[in-house]
Amino acid sequence: MKTLIIYCHPYKRSFNHAILETVKDNLRNKKIDYQVIDLYADNFNPTYDKEELRLYHVGKTHDPLVKKYLTMLKNTLTVIFITPLWWNFVPGMLKGFIDKVMKEGEGLSHTVTKFGVHGELTNIKHTYLLTTSTSPNFYLKICLGNGIKRVFVNQTLKQLGMKDRHWKNFGEITNSTMGRRKKYLDKIKNYNFK
């Protein structure tokens, strides 16, 4: 599989869902093989129970979706995350995906050394984060210290070994016009996902 889309939104009439459909159209038109992880549709449980936490420390899980998702991640070249930003960060569902699916251990998502985390997902050559937010872009980047880029993109995804990371945010979603939304979707429809 060349491309894996990780989609995190519960509502099929959301603008995030329109972005998802546009990305899929883009990839189909370019004859790029892809699969979608739809966290809400899969009823993914983003929280740990005691057994899951115990198994984490030995790189195992009792959640079949975790195994499935990690296998998909290990067999893709490109990852495209599509998610809203809620309270200036990714939703708990996506944070729980990172927490539960990214397992420590050789051949898994990362190993921990005395020098820090070493990412094992080096097969992922291109990573895209497509977000929407109520806040304007300048507010996220300047007033809030660019936390999505600094922490999620340049630290978390980098630590996991994901390369060539890009973040595109559609800000001020609540007050956006249909024309502005269409213009953004047209850009996504023609975007060169590698």
Side-chain angles (χ1 to χ4, degrees):
M1 165 188 40
K2 183 168 172 63
T3 300
L4 179 62
I5 301 169
I6 301 170
Y7 176 66
C8 182
H9 201 288
Y11 185 46
K12 289 197 183 230
R13 296 188 66 193
S14 70
F15 189 59
N16 281 268
H17 196 267
I19 294 170
L20 169 65
E21 293 302 319
T22 304
V23 168
K24 288 163 52 176
D25 286 345
N26 175 317
L27 298 174
R28 273 193 300 266
N29 290 339
K30 293 177 181 162
K31 298 185 179 6
I32 296 173
D33 182 38
Y34 70 89
Q35 286 185 297
V36 177
I37 291 175
D38 185 334
L39 296 172
Y40 283 94
D42 288 351
N43 291 313
F44 176 66
N45 178 358
T47 63
Y48 277 102
D49 57 26
K50 288 179 185 177
E51 180 63 7
E52 187 71 22
L53 188 57
R54 184 186 72 77
L55 291 170
Y56 173 84
H57 294 289
V58 292
K60 296 183 180 175
T61 183
H62 68 89
D63 184 336
L65 282 176
V66 168
K67 292 176 187 174
K68 175 184 172 184
Y69 294 163
L70 188 52
T71 298
M72 293 169 83
L73 283 163
K74 295 293 288 181
N75 290 294
T76 193
L77 297 176
T78 300
V79 171
I80 304 171
F81 293 93
I82 301 172
T83 184
L85 298 180
W86 291 340
W87 290 104
N88 309 308
F89 206 68
V90 297
M93 178 69 86
L94 184 54
K95 177 65 170 73
F97 171 86
I98 299 293
D99 289 346
K100 278 182 73 176
V101 175
M102 304 308 166
K103 297 290 184 189
E104 178 185 350
E106 192 171 330
L108 300 175
S109 72
H110 67 282
T111 52
V112 177
T113 70
K114 64 182 178 179
F115 300 107
V117 173
H118 173 73
E120 301 291 345
L121 294 176
T122 55
N123 56 291
I124 299 172
K125 304 300 182 195
H126 307 283
T127 310
Y128 302 91
L129 176 64
L130 306 179
T131 60
T132 59
S133 66
T134 300
S135 298
N137 291 338
F138 80 86
Y139 183 78
L140 293 170
K141 293 179 179 179
I142 297 169
C143 299
L144 294 180
N146 211 5
I148 295 297
K149 180 88 170 185
R150 279 187 320 99
V151 178
F152 190 73
V153 175
N154 288 344
Q155 294 302 317
T156 304
L157 300 180
K158 179 182 177 182
Q159 281 183 308
L160 291 167
M162 297 182 188
K163 305 275 190 281
D164 191 35
R165 296 168 309 279
H166 304 271
W167 172 42
K168 295 178 79 57
N169 183 60
F170 185 89
E172 299 178 274
I173 184 72
T174 306
N175 298 317
S176 62
T177 64
M178 289 303 292
R180 186 166 165 252
R181 291 181 185 207
K182 183 182 181 316
K183 187 175 177 182
Y184 181 80
L185 292 177
D186 287 343
K187 285 183 184 176
I188 296 298
K189 187 173 186 176
N190 297 306
Y191 193 80
N192 187 25
F193 296 106
K194 297 180 182 177

